[in-house]
Amino acid sequence: MNKFIWIFGAISGILGSVAEYLVYGNYMPYDSFGAIRLFKIFLLVICIVFAVIAIKKLNGQISLARTLLTSILVSLVRSIFLIGGFLLMYYPNGEIFEPVKSYAYEKSAEMMQEEDRTPKNFAEKKIEIADQFSLTGYPKYGLMGSVVTAVFAGVFLGLIVAQKSKNS
């Protein structure tokens, strides 16, 4: 693996973990969690762009496949750092997430009442919310989100880079 993959993956993962800590540690309001998720996606895309540019400058050119591979590897390194940050916040028993979970339960209940859904749907939603903050759920959702974002960003960026390489 190229050092740029590690560097930009680490930057994205560490800054993403810090942003999550600001919400989970009650330094930012819970309403800003959606903005934090968008920030993490934007940060991943920016880091993928910089990694691809750095690798292209190093090698002189880059193919669509190499761009896609680079973006997926950056997202996997990012996921390692995000999961590490989650584990540090979770230690020893995950009580830092309790206020966020209760906030998510309340918002989910409000949405369910507005849509006239049954209590069974709310129970399923509550399990899904709890799973997002568990030791098995967070890595699953974090890894899936990172890789999906990386695939889209990698293909889009690869098409742009490949087009510029053909014109040059």
PDB file of all heavy atoms in Angstrom, residues 126-154:
ATOM      1  N   LYS A 126     -36.070   0.930  17.349  1.00  0.00           N
ATOM      2  CA  LYS A 126     -35.287   1.066  18.572  1.00  0.00           C
ATOM      3  C   LYS A 126     -34.134   0.066  18.589  1.00  0.00           C
ATOM      4  O   LYS A 126     -33.019   0.402  18.992  1.00  0.00           O
ATOM      5  CB  LYS A 126     -36.205   0.857  19.789  1.00  0.00           C
ATOM      6  CG  LYS A 126     -35.649   1.347  21.073  1.00  0.00           C
ATOM      7  CD  LYS A 126     -36.702   1.320  22.165  1.00  0.00           C
ATOM      8  CE  LYS A 126     -36.127   1.862  23.432  1.00  0.00           C
ATOM      9  NZ  LYS A 126     -37.075   1.895  24.526  1.00  0.00           N
ATOM     10  N   ILE A 127     -34.385  -1.144  18.121  1.00  0.00           N
ATOM     11  CA  ILE A 127     -33.328  -2.157  18.028  1.00  0.00           C
ATOM     12  C   ILE A 127     -32.275  -1.720  17.020  1.00  0.00           C
ATOM     13  O   ILE A 127     -31.074  -1.861  17.250  1.00  0.00           O
ATOM     14  CB  ILE A 127     -33.930  -3.532  17.660  1.00  0.00           C
ATOM     15  CG1 ILE A 127     -34.762  -4.063  18.826  1.00  0.00           C
ATOM     16  CG2 ILE A 127     -32.843  -4.522  17.281  1.00  0.00           C
ATOM     17  CD1 ILE A 127     -35.584  -5.282  18.482  1.00  0.00           C
ATOM     18  N   GLU A 128     -32.728  -1.159  15.911  1.00  0.00           N
ATOM     19  CA  GLU A 128     -31.796  -0.684  14.881  1.00  0.00           C
ATOM     20  C   GLU A 128     -30.919   0.457  15.410  1.00  0.00           C
ATOM     21  O   GLU A 128     -29.718   0.492  15.144  1.00  0.00           O
ATOM     22  CB  GLU A 128     -32.595  -0.208  13.669  1.00  0.00           C
ATOM     23  CG  GLU A 128     -31.754   0.278  12.518  1.00  0.00           C
ATOM     24  CD  GLU A 128     -32.603   0.792  11.376  1.00  0.00           C
ATOM     25  OE1 GLU A 128     -33.628   0.154  11.064  1.00  0.00           O
ATOM     26  OE2 GLU A 128     -32.236   1.825  10.803  1.00  0.00           O
ATOM     27  N   ILE A 129     -31.509   1.380  16.164  1.00  0.00           N
ATOM     28  CA  ILE A 129     -30.746   2.492  16.737  1.00  0.00           C
ATOM     29  C   ILE A 129     -29.728   1.965  17.745  1.00  0.00           C
ATOM     30  O   ILE A 129     -28.571   2.382  17.749  1.00  0.00           O
ATOM     31  CB  ILE A 129     -31.688   3.514  17.391  1.00  0.00           C
ATOM     32  CG1 ILE A 129     -32.491   4.236  16.316  1.00  0.00           C
ATOM     33  CG2 ILE A 129     -30.914   4.523  18.233  1.00  0.00           C
ATOM     34  CD1 ILE A 129     -33.626   5.082  16.852  1.00  0.00           C
ATOM     35  N   ALA A 130     -30.156   1.041  18.595  1.00  0.00           N
ATOM     36  CA  ALA A 130     -29.230   0.473  19.584  1.00  0.00           C
ATOM     37  C   ALA A 130     -28.087  -0.263  18.900  1.00  0.00           C
ATOM     38  O   ALA A 130     -26.943  -0.231  19.374  1.00  0.00           O
ATOM     39  CB  ALA A 130     -29.984  -0.463  20.525  1.00  0.00           C
ATOM     40  N   ASP A 131     -28.378  -0.912  17.780  1.00  0.00           N
ATOM     41  CA  ASP A 131     -27.345  -1.645  17.046  1.00  0.00           C
ATOM     42  C   ASP A 131     -26.281  -0.702  16.485  1.00  0.00           C
ATOM     43  O   ASP A 131     -25.110  -1.065  16.396  1.00  0.00           O
ATOM     44  CB  ASP A 131     -27.985  -2.464  15.922  1.00  0.00           C
ATOM     45  CG  ASP A 131     -26.985  -3.385  15.243  1.00  0.00           C
ATOM     46  OD1 ASP A 131     -26.162  -4.001  15.959  1.00  0.00           O
ATOM     47  OD2 ASP A 131     -27.023  -3.491  14.006  1.00  0.00           O
ATOM     48  N   GLN A 132     -26.666   0.512  16.117  1.00  0.00           N
ATOM     49  CA  GLN A 132     -25.706   1.471  15.579  1.00  0.00           C
ATOM     50  C   GLN A 132     -24.659   1.878  16.606  1.00  0.00           C
ATOM     51  O   GLN A 132     -23.570   2.322  16.242  1.00  0.00           O
ATOM     52  CB  GLN A 132     -26.422   2.720  15.073  1.00  0.00           C
ATOM     53  CG  GLN A 132     -27.254   2.475  13.853  1.00  0.00           C
ATOM     54  CD  GLN A 132     -27.997   3.718  13.415  1.00  0.00           C
ATOM     55  OE1 GLN A 132     -27.817   4.792  13.963  1.00  0.00           O
ATOM     56  NE2 GLN A 132     -28.855   3.560  12.426  1.00  0.00           N
ATOM     57  N   PHE A 133     -24.970   1.745  17.869  1.00  0.00           N
ATOM     58  CA  PHE A 133     -24.046   2.121  18.936  1.00  0.00           C
ATOM     59  C   PHE A 133     -23.481   0.920  19.673  1.00  0.00           C
ATOM     60  O   PHE A 133     -22.988   1.040  20.788  1.00  0.00           O
ATOM     61  CB  PHE A 133     -24.747   3.059  19.926  1.00  0.00           C
ATOM     62  CG  PHE A 133     -25.186   4.341  19.301  1.00  0.00           C
ATOM     63  CD1 PHE A 133     -26.505   4.531  18.935  1.00  0.00           C
ATOM     64  CD2 PHE A 133     -24.278   5.349  19.053  1.00  0.00           C
ATOM     65  CE1 PHE A 133     -26.918   5.714  18.343  1.00  0.00           C
ATOM     66  CE2 PHE A 133     -24.675   6.542  18.464  1.00  0.00           C
ATOM     67  CZ  PHE A 133     -26.000   6.712  18.114  1.00  0.00           C
ATOM     68  N   SER A 134     -23.539  -0.252  19.059  1.00  0.00           N
ATOM     69  CA  SER A 134     -22.995  -1.459  19.686  1.00  0.00           C
ATOM     70  C   SER A 134     -21.626  -1.780  19.095  1.00  0.00           C
ATOM     71  O   SER A 134     -21.237  -1.230  18.066  1.00  0.00           O
ATOM     72  CB  SER A 134     -23.944  -2.644  19.475  1.00  0.00           C
ATOM     73  OG  SER A 134     -23.951  -3.026  18.119  1.00  0.00           O
ATOM     74  N   LEU A 135     -20.925  -2.673  19.739  1.00  0.00           N
ATOM     75  CA  LEU A 135     -19.584  -3.049  19.275  1.00  0.00           C
ATOM     76  C   LEU A 135     -19.607  -3.791  17.949  1.00  0.00           C
ATOM     77  O   LEU A 135     -18.614  -3.802  17.227  1.00  0.00           O
ATOM     78  CB  LEU A 135     -18.883  -3.908  20.335  1.00  0.00           C
ATOM     79  CG  LEU A 135     -18.463  -3.165  21.593  1.00  0.00           C
ATOM     80  CD1 LEU A 135     -17.893  -4.136  22.616  1.00  0.00           C
ATOM     81  CD2 LEU A 135     -17.464  -2.078  21.285  1.00  0.00           C
ATOM     82  N   THR A 136     -20.716  -4.413  17.619  1.00  0.00           N
ATOM     83  CA  THR A 136     -20.810  -5.102  16.333  1.00  0.00           C
ATOM     84  C   THR A 136     -21.478  -4.241  15.266  1.00  0.00           C
ATOM     85  O   THR A 136     -21.176  -4.372  14.085  1.00  0.00           O
ATOM     86  CB  THR A 136     -21.598  -6.418  16.472  1.00  0.00           C
ATOM     87  OG1 THR A 136     -22.897  -6.128  17.005  1.00  0.00           O
ATOM     88  CG2 THR A 136     -20.868  -7.386  17.368  1.00  0.00           C
ATOM     89  N   GLY A 137     -22.382  -3.367  15.663  1.00  0.00           N
ATOM     90  CA  GLY A 137     -23.125  -2.564  14.704  1.00  0.00           C
ATOM     91  C   GLY A 137     -22.339  -1.409  14.122  1.00  0.00           C
ATOM     92  O   GLY A 137     -22.386  -1.151  12.918  1.00  0.00           O
ATOM     93  N   TYR A 138     -21.604  -0.678  14.966  1.00  0.00           N
ATOM     94  CA  TYR A 138     -20.876   0.488  14.470  1.00  0.00           C
ATOM     95  C   TYR A 138     -19.862   0.132  13.394  1.00  0.00           C
ATOM     96  O   TYR A 138     -19.827   0.795  12.353  1.00  0.00           O
ATOM     97  CB  TYR A 138     -20.188   1.230  15.625  1.00  0.00           C
ATOM     98  CG  TYR A 138     -19.473   2.468  15.160  1.00  0.00           C
ATOM     99  CD1 TYR A 138     -20.154   3.669  15.038  1.00  0.00           C
ATOM    100  CD2 TYR A 138     -18.133   2.442  14.810  1.00  0.00           C
ATOM    101  CE1 TYR A 138     -19.516   4.811  14.590  1.00  0.00           C
ATOM    102  CE2 TYR A 138     -17.486   3.567  14.357  1.00  0.00           C
ATOM    103  CZ  TYR A 138     -18.178   4.754  14.261  1.00  0.00           C
ATOM    104  OH  TYR A 138     -17.540   5.870  13.805  1.00  0.00           O
ATOM    105  N   PRO A 139     -19.039  -0.896  13.598  1.00  0.00           N
ATOM    106  CA  PRO A 139     -18.104  -1.250  12.511  1.00  0.00           C
ATOM    107  C   PRO A 139     -18.813  -1.650  11.222  1.00  0.00           C
ATOM    108  O   PRO A 139     -18.363  -1.306  10.134  1.00  0.00           O
ATOM    109  CB  PRO A 139     -17.316  -2.432  13.090  1.00  0.00           C
ATOM    110  CG  PRO A 139     -17.418  -2.282  14.554  1.00  0.00           C
ATOM    111  CD  PRO A 139     -18.765  -1.682  14.807  1.00  0.00           C
ATOM    112  N   LYS A 140     -19.939  -2.342  11.355  1.00  0.00           N
ATOM    113  CA  LYS A 140     -20.677  -2.779  10.173  1.00  0.00           C
ATOM    114  C   LYS A 140     -21.196  -1.578   9.384  1.00  0.00           C
ATOM    115  O   LYS A 140     -20.960  -1.465   8.179  1.00  0.00           O
ATOM    116  CB  LYS A 140     -21.834  -3.684  10.608  1.00  0.00           C
ATOM    117  CG  LYS A 140     -22.743  -4.139   9.512  1.00  0.00           C
ATOM    118  CD  LYS A 140     -23.802  -5.101  10.018  1.00  0.00           C
ATOM    119  CE  LYS A 140     -24.628  -4.473  11.115  1.00  0.00           C
ATOM    120  NZ  LYS A 140     -25.706  -5.316  11.601  1.00  0.00           N
ATOM    121  N   TYR A 141     -21.881  -0.659  10.072  1.00  0.00           N
ATOM    122  CA  TYR A 141     -22.430   0.507   9.390  1.00  0.00           C
ATOM    123  C   TYR A 141     -21.329   1.454   8.915  1.00  0.00           C
ATOM    124  O   TYR A 141     -21.418   2.034   7.830  1.00  0.00           O
ATOM    125  CB  TYR A 141     -23.404   1.264  10.299  1.00  0.00           C
ATOM    126  CG  TYR A 141     -24.665   0.499  10.587  1.00  0.00           C
ATOM    127  CD1 TYR A 141     -24.992   0.111  11.871  1.00  0.00           C
ATOM    128  CD2 TYR A 141     -25.540   0.160   9.560  1.00  0.00           C
ATOM    129  CE1 TYR A 141     -26.156  -0.588  12.139  1.00  0.00           C
ATOM    130  CE2 TYR A 141     -26.698  -0.541   9.812  1.00  0.00           C
ATOM    131  CZ  TYR A 141     -27.000  -0.909  11.105  1.00  0.00           C
ATOM    132  OH  TYR A 141     -28.150  -1.607  11.355  1.00  0.00           O
ATOM    133  N   GLY A 142     -20.306   1.624   9.730  1.00  0.00           N
ATOM    134  CA  GLY A 142     -19.206   2.506   9.350  1.00  0.00           C
ATOM    135  C   GLY A 142     -18.441   2.008   8.142  1.00  0.00           C
ATOM    136  O   GLY A 142     -18.112   2.771   7.228  1.00  0.00           O
ATOM    137  N   LEU A 143     -18.175   0.726   8.104  1.00  0.00           N
ATOM    138  CA  LEU A 143     -17.439   0.142   6.983  1.00  0.00           C
ATOM    139  C   LEU A 143     -18.271   0.178   5.703  1.00  0.00           C
ATOM    140  O   LEU A 143     -17.765   0.545   4.638  1.00  0.00           O
ATOM    141  CB  LEU A 143     -17.029  -1.289   7.320  1.00  0.00           C
ATOM    142  CG  LEU A 143     -16.101  -1.985   6.348  1.00  0.00           C
ATOM    143  CD1 LEU A 143     -14.790  -1.237   6.250  1.00  0.00           C
ATOM    144  CD2 LEU A 143     -15.845  -3.412   6.797  1.00  0.00           C
ATOM    145  N   MET A 144     -19.543  -0.168   5.819  1.00  0.00           N
ATOM    146  CA  MET A 144     -20.408  -0.140   4.633  1.00  0.00           C
ATOM    147  C   MET A 144     -20.529   1.273   4.080  1.00  0.00           C
ATOM    148  O   MET A 144     -20.424   1.486   2.868  1.00  0.00           O
ATOM    149  CB  MET A 144     -21.801  -0.683   4.965  1.00  0.00           C
ATOM    150  CG  MET A 144     -21.862  -2.169   5.100  1.00  0.00           C
ATOM    151  SD  MET A 144     -23.522  -2.882   5.286  1.00  0.00           S
ATOM    152  CE  MET A 144     -24.473  -1.671   6.124  1.00  0.00           C
ATOM    153  N   GLY A 145     -20.751   2.238   4.946  1.00  0.00           N
ATOM    154  CA  GLY A 145     -20.883   3.622   4.496  1.00  0.00           C
ATOM    155  C   GLY A 145     -19.610   4.141   3.856  1.00  0.00           C
ATOM    156  O   GLY A 145     -19.655   4.829   2.828  1.00  0.00           O
ATOM    157  N   SER A 146     -18.461   3.805   4.440  1.00  0.00           N
ATOM    158  CA  SER A 146     -17.191   4.260   3.888  1.00  0.00           C
ATOM    159  C   SER A 146     -16.921   3.656   2.519  1.00  0.00           C
ATOM    160  O   SER A 146     -16.510   4.357   1.592  1.00  0.00           O
ATOM    161  CB  SER A 146     -16.040   3.885   4.831  1.00  0.00           C
ATOM    162  OG  SER A 146     -16.086   4.630   6.015  1.00  0.00           O
ATOM    163  N   VAL A 147     -17.142   2.371   2.388  1.00  0.00           N
ATOM    164  CA  VAL A 147     -16.838   1.703   1.117  1.00  0.00           C
ATOM    165  C   VAL A 147     -17.794   2.157   0.019  1.00  0.00           C
ATOM    166  O   VAL A 147     -17.369   2.401  -1.120  1.00  0.00           O
ATOM    167  CB  VAL A 147     -16.848   0.168   1.287  1.00  0.00           C
ATOM    168  CG1 VAL A 147     -16.758  -0.540  -0.045  1.00  0.00           C
ATOM    169  CG2 VAL A 147     -15.689  -0.262   2.185  1.00  0.00           C
ATOM    170  N   VAL A 148     -19.067   2.296   0.326  1.00  0.00           N
ATOM    171  CA  VAL A 148     -20.026   2.755  -0.683  1.00  0.00           C
ATOM    172  C   VAL A 148     -19.671   4.164  -1.155  1.00  0.00           C
ATOM    173  O   VAL A 148     -19.648   4.445  -2.360  1.00  0.00           O
ATOM    174  CB  VAL A 148     -21.474   2.691  -0.138  1.00  0.00           C
ATOM    175  CG1 VAL A 148     -22.440   3.435  -1.038  1.00  0.00           C
ATOM    176  CG2 VAL A 148     -21.909   1.256   0.037  1.00  0.00           C
ATOM    177  N   THR A 149     -19.362   5.044  -0.217  1.00  0.00           N
ATOM    178  CA  THR A 149     -18.944   6.401  -0.584  1.00  0.00           C
ATOM    179  C   THR A 149     -17.681   6.366  -1.420  1.00  0.00           C
ATOM    180  O   THR A 149     -17.558   7.086  -2.416  1.00  0.00           O
ATOM    181  CB  THR A 149     -18.709   7.243   0.690  1.00  0.00           C
ATOM    182  OG1 THR A 149     -19.901   7.266   1.463  1.00  0.00           O
ATOM    183  CG2 THR A 149     -18.305   8.660   0.337  1.00  0.00           C
ATOM    184  N   ALA A 150     -16.739   5.515  -1.052  1.00  0.00           N
ATOM    185  CA  ALA A 150     -15.476   5.421  -1.780  1.00  0.00           C
ATOM    186  C   ALA A 150     -15.667   4.896  -3.192  1.00  0.00           C
ATOM    187  O   ALA A 150     -15.002   5.349  -4.123  1.00  0.00           O
ATOM    188  CB  ALA A 150     -14.496   4.537  -1.015  1.00  0.00           C
ATOM    189  N   VAL A 151     -16.557   3.941  -3.367  1.00  0.00           N
ATOM    190  CA  VAL A 151     -16.798   3.406  -4.706  1.00  0.00           C
ATOM    191  C   VAL A 151     -17.363   4.498  -5.615  1.00  0.00           C
ATOM    192  O   VAL A 151     -16.881   4.691  -6.741  1.00  0.00           O
ATOM    193  CB  VAL A 151     -17.732   2.173  -4.657  1.00  0.00           C
ATOM    194  CG1 VAL A 151     -18.241   1.815  -6.037  1.00  0.00           C
ATOM    195  CG2 VAL A 151     -17.006   0.995  -4.034  1.00  0.00           C
ATOM    196  N   PHE A 152     -18.358   5.218  -5.134  1.00  0.00           N
ATOM    197  CA  PHE A 152     -18.919   6.294  -5.945  1.00  0.00           C
ATOM    198  C   PHE A 152     -17.883   7.378  -6.234  1.00  0.00           C
ATOM    199  O   PHE A 152     -17.748   7.837  -7.367  1.00  0.00           O
ATOM    200  CB  PHE A 152     -20.159   6.900  -5.278  1.00  0.00           C
ATOM    201  CG  PHE A 152     -21.384   6.049  -5.409  1.00  0.00           C
ATOM    202  CD1 PHE A 152     -21.992   5.503  -4.292  1.00  0.00           C
ATOM    203  CD2 PHE A 152     -21.929   5.788  -6.660  1.00  0.00           C
ATOM    204  CE1 PHE A 152     -23.120   4.722  -4.416  1.00  0.00           C
ATOM    205  CE2 PHE A 152     -23.065   5.002  -6.791  1.00  0.00           C
ATOM    206  CZ  PHE A 152     -23.662   4.467  -5.671  1.00  0.00           C
ATOM    207  N   ALA A 153     -17.164   7.795  -5.201  1.00  0.00           N
ATOM    208  CA  ALA A 153     -16.148   8.832  -5.397  1.00  0.00           C
ATOM    209  C   ALA A 153     -15.033   8.339  -6.311  1.00  0.00           C
ATOM    210  O   ALA A 153     -14.548   9.091  -7.167  1.00  0.00           O
ATOM    211  CB  ALA A 153     -15.574   9.266  -4.045  1.00  0.00           C
ATOM    212  N   GLY A 154     -14.627   7.089  -6.155  1.00  0.00           N
ATOM    213  CA  GLY A 154     -13.554   6.541  -6.976  1.00  0.00           C
ATOM    214  C   GLY A 154     -13.922   6.429  -8.436  1.00  0.00           C
ATOM    215  O   GLY A 154     -13.124   6.767  -9.319  1.00  0.00           O
TER     216      GLY A 154
END
